[in-house]
Each structure stands twice: as C-alpha cells, then as structure tokens.
Amino acid sequence: MIQLNLVKVGMADLNIATDGAILKTTGLGSCVGLTLYDPIRKIAGMAHVMLPSSEIARETKMNLAKYADTAIPELLDRMIAAGAYVERMKAKMAGGAQMFAMSGQSDSLRIGPRNVESCTEMLSKFKIPIISQDTGGSFGRTVEFDSNSGMLSIRSVQFGTKEI
C-alpha cells in the first residue's frame, strides 16, 4: 500500500486514524499488532503490544501502549473520543511469533503466544470480536491498516504480502 497519509505506530505505541489514513507498524516478532475498527465511522486504531501484562511493569512512568491489558483500554478511549462506538468495533491482529526455539519452554519465554492470549482475553472483556488474525509462527511481520476499508495488510520476508 502506497499512501500519502501514513500514521506510524512505533514499538510499544498506539494511535488512531481516520479519513483514509493508513496505520503502519514494523518489527512485529513476539509483539502483537492489534487493530480495532468502527466500520460505520471509519475510525481505525492500532496498538503495537510488547508484553502481555502490566503487572511486571518496572518503569516509573507507565507506558500504557506497552502492555495488552493497558493498551486496549487506552486505544478504546482514544477511538471513542474520536466518535467510534465499542458496540460496532471489530478486531484483527498479527504477530505474536515465537521467535526463539528453546528447550523446556518456560512460560516466561512464550512471550508471543502469551501476547496473543492476553489480547484475546482483553477483547473478550469488551465483547469485541476478532474477525481475522495472522498470529504465531516464528517470523516477523510488518502491518498496515487502512482506516477507509478496515483491511489489514501483512508483509513478511518468508511469505510475502497477504490481506485480511
């Protein structure tokens, strides 16, 4: 997607887009690119979630976008402030890869799968359906989310580009 109105979402960041702007984030390995969309108002949101739970936060000023349990409510607040309705929202997500194979797989090393699980649980709490996802595997992704169509474009070196 080549688009003039590009809104970049960095690692442990979130943002919203309207008026046909494209949200883009790169470097999704174990991180999850979570998108929310109100198809009537055409308001899109994206969070680049790094970790599943803010319970492990050690920073003095909490970065709400970094954790699934705080990023999703913050993204919802911003989208609602822009005119979106939670009742109409649909979610898509990509990423959550298991980037390193390790024997004995302790839960603390399953960051990607735990990020996906945590995002899924939070969306369930808000009754937001996940209509499509491209998660897991052991490869990185770059995603672009179109605020006009709600299309999520996923690019990876191994598998090229696909749209969901």
Side-chain angles (χ1 to χ4, degrees), residues 47-125:
H48 185 130
V49 174
M50 279 183 69
L51 295 167
S53 173
S54 61
E55 290 176 10
I56 62 167
R58 301 234 189 313
E59 58 260 52
T60 52
K61 183 174 178 341
M62 168 101 54
N63 175 356
L64 297 176
K66 188 174 186 177
Y67 308 96
D69 64 332
T70 54
I72 293 169
E74 176 66 17
L75 188 59
L76 285 170
D77 287 349
R78 291 190 191 186
M79 292 179 69
I80 291 164
Y85 288 86
V86 176
E87 302 79 25
R88 293 194 299 237
M89 284 189 200
K90 310 237 181 289
K92 294 181 181 183
M93 63 180 163
Q98 182 63 41
M99 296 303 288
F100 307 102
M102 298 180 194
S103 60
Q105 292 291 357
S106 80
D107 205 45
S108 65
L109 300 176
R110 293 181 55 254
I111 301 294
R114 287 176 47 226
N115 280 340
V116 172
E117 291 161 11
S118 188
C119 287
T120 301
E121 286 171 21
M122 286 304 296
L123 291 168
S124 176
K125 285 181 184 175

Side-chain angles (χ1 to χ4, degrees), residues 21-23 35-37 44-46 92 144-147 150-152:
I22 304 288
L23 290 158
T35 63
L36 297 175
Y37 188 59
M46 179 185 285
K92 294 181 181 183
E144 294 183 2
F145 192 56
D146 185 329
S147 68
M151 184 64 65
L152 181 63

